[in-house]
Amino acid sequence: MQTEDVNRNNEKLDLRNCTHGQLETLLAELGQPKFRAKQIEDWVWVKNATSLDQMTNLSKALRAELADYVTLGGVEEIARQVSQDGSRKYLLRFPDGVAVECVGMPSKNRLAVCVSTQAGCAMGCAFCATGASGLTRSLTAGEIYEQVMHVRDDFNTRVTSVVMMGQGEPMMNYDATLAALRRLNSPEGAGIGARHLTVSTCGVIPMIKRFANEPEQFTLAVSLHSANQSTRNILMPGVKKYSLIHLYDVMGEYVDKTGRRPTYEYALIQGVNDNEDELGALCDFCRGTLAHVNIIQLNEVPGSKLKPASPERAEEFVARLASVGVEATIRNSRGADIDAACGQLRQRMQEL
Ligand code: SF4
């Protein structure tokens, strides 16, 4: 790579989306030693610098020179909502104007962050505000990572876990998702343990197979929402082509290969997936497998006919699953008083 190539047509190297090798090459072209790359990466990935001027261990002259060749990305917070339970939901805008949501959920000595992997989503789940407006574009690894850093800096505390359960289907943006996971896991990044990094998918089977072969101990969550094929096809049309039987087999392979317990997410929807037939199908799907089921109280989406089932019904689901040997819990719904379901804040802002 020639420096002339880097800034021709204003095509600068994005420090949040370039490789270590690309940065080293640029610095070599500028007559700088290799260790400068590490110094710059520390500012980008650990200190979450938002401008070259913050990089005070680089000379002023070098910072000025670098400004001709590199950019730092950078998100702008354009809206936020704060829940009574302490959760904060942010709408962040990238330099090209695309906006996504992320959420910080504090609890004693912990900070969990939920991030988006795409702006919008093509999967079209019936209960989701994001799915209703389609896919705008996938995010880069740097953009996924930046959401975590934004929340960390806002709470001014260490992030202890990250879930990729915001807008988008992570498995449809696999390479960027994996690169972000690795950076979040790296001691030269956020240093979050792999088991505390969770990818949530609708069940994109080829990518679950690929994920099972990654060497890190990342955690997998699958949005199930129904173990009846016909109901699931209606709730989650984007994964219609992957049958539940196939999903069952692939999850078995995943467990055999990784030895890790996947989570199944099940948002309980009144009159849709909360009847006896659905409960029986869910028990059959999970019985005898290594799995944890999260029963979720549905967040109501304005304009949607789908309503949450009663808390009593959620308890009955947990008890019945336990009776067939399946571990299940009711997931504490965080931020119920804010637009906590993915896509709701973005939708709200678009309406203004
Ligand atoms: S629930 Fe997730 S996968 Fe489904 S449409 Fe919404 S963002 Fe996409």
Side-chain angles (χ1 to χ4, degrees):
M1 183 182 61
Q2 301 293 311
T3 45
E4 301 84 53
D5 293 338
V6 176
N7 69 353
R8 188 182 300 145
N9 299 327
N10 239 0
E11 279 177 30
K12 296 182 179 182
L13 193 66
D14 180 353
L15 290 178
R16 283 196 165 82
N17 285 300
C18 69
T19 63
H20 182 74
Q22 283 175 308
L23 183 56
E24 269 192 351
T25 305
L26 170 65
L27 289 162
E29 297 278 339
L30 299 177
Q32 293 294 322
K34 278 188 172 184
F35 70 83
R36 291 270 181 250
K38 281 252 175 234
Q39 285 182 315
I40 293 171
E41 284 169 336
D42 186 57
W43 281 106
V44 174
W45 301 114
V46 180
K47 299 190 178 88
N48 195 30
T50 50
S51 94
L52 289 170
D53 286 339
Q54 290 171 275
M55 303 184 182
T56 45
N57 55 356
L58 308 182
S59 70
K60 256 192 168 174
L62 176 56
R63 282 181 262 151
E65 193 174 18
L66 276 173
D68 289 338
Y69 299 102
V70 302
T71 63
L72 243 183
V75 287
E76 183 192 354
E77 185 183 311
I78 53 173
R80 72 159 61 193
Q81 291 179 330
V82 179
S83 165
Q84 284 174 1
D85 67 17
S87 304
R88 298 177 198 166
K89 182 165 190 165
Y90 310 83
L91 185 62
L92 303 180
R93 185 164 56 198
F94 296 110
D96 68 350
V98 160
V100 298
E101 296 174 1
C102 60
V103 185
M105 295 162 286
S107 54
K108 200 170 172 240
N109 300 328
R110 293 199 183 147
L111 178 59
V113 179
C114 175
V115 296
S116 296
T117 52
Q118 298 182 304
C121 185
M123 305 309 280
C125 299
F127 46 82
C128 173
T130 299
S133 36
L135 177 68
T136 304
R137 71 167 171 85
S138 287
L139 302 187
T140 65
E143 288 169 337
I144 299 169
Y145 186 89
E146 244 183 307
Q147 296 168 61
V148 178
M149 293 293 106
H150 184 87
V151 178
R152 179 198 72 173
D153 290 352
D154 191 49
F155 279 90
N156 194 24
T157 187
R158 202 170 71 86
V159 174
T160 49
S161 63
V162 175
V163 289
M164 297 192 170
M165 282 186 190
Q167 290 167 259
E169 164 54 64
M171 296 295 191
M172 298 302 277
N173 185 20
Y174 190 90
D175 292 340
T177 294
L178 190 67
L181 286 169
R182 288 189 168 146
R183 181 65 73 181
L184 288 164
N185 181 222
S186 165
E188 288 158 1
I192 302 167
R195 284 165 189 262
H196 302 286
L197 298 170
T198 302
V199 173
S200 174
T201 176
C202 292
V204 181
I205 283 174
M207 294 301 150
I208 293 176
K209 286 184 172 179
R210 205 171 142 189
F211 196 60
N213 287 310
E214 302 300 350
E216 296 90 351
Q217 305 248 302
F218 300 131
T219 301
L220 179 66
V222 174
S223 299
L224 193 60
H225 304 312
S226 175
N228 266 334
Q229 192 67 60
S230 53
T231 311
R232 197 165 192 266
N233 287 350
I234 294 167
L235 289 176
M236 306 176 73
V239 279
K240 224 180 196 171
K241 64 179 172 190
Y242 305 119
S243 71
L244 278 164
I245 296 168
H246 197 182
L247 179 65
Y248 180 88
D249 290 342
V250 167
M251 292 307 289
E253 288 167 22
Y254 171 87
V255 171
D256 289 345
K257 196 160 267 174
T258 64
R260 295 198 296 276
R261 182 190 296 268
T263 300
Y264 292 114
E265 307 286 339
Y266 198 102
L268 216 48
I269 309 168
Q270 195 182 77
V272 176
N273 64 358
D274 67 339
N275 59 34
E276 279 307 298
D277 180 44
E278 292 285 343
L279 176 52
L282 178 60
C283 289
D284 289 346
F285 190 89
C286 299
R287 193 193 315 255
T289 69
L290 187 66
H292 181 96
V293 178
N294 265 337
I295 302 293
I296 304 161
Q297 281 300 111
L298 185 78
N299 277 300
E300 280 193 64
V301 174
S304 168
K305 290 188 182 116
L306 303 179
K307 305 285 170 220
S310 68
E312 294 73 33
R313 193 60 182 142
E315 274 164 31
E316 283 162 17
F317 262 62
V318 170
R320 184 80 72 78
L321 285 161
S323 76
V324 297
V326 179
E327 203 180 84
T329 43
I330 299 172
R331 198 167 75 207
N332 190 10
S333 181
R334 301 295 305 266
D337 54 331
I338 57 177
D339 293 326
C342 76
Q344 276 181 280
L345 179 56
R346 192 170 78 128
Q347 194 181 53
R348 186 67 57 92
M349 290 301 289
Q350 282 167 351
E351 285 163 6
L352 295 176

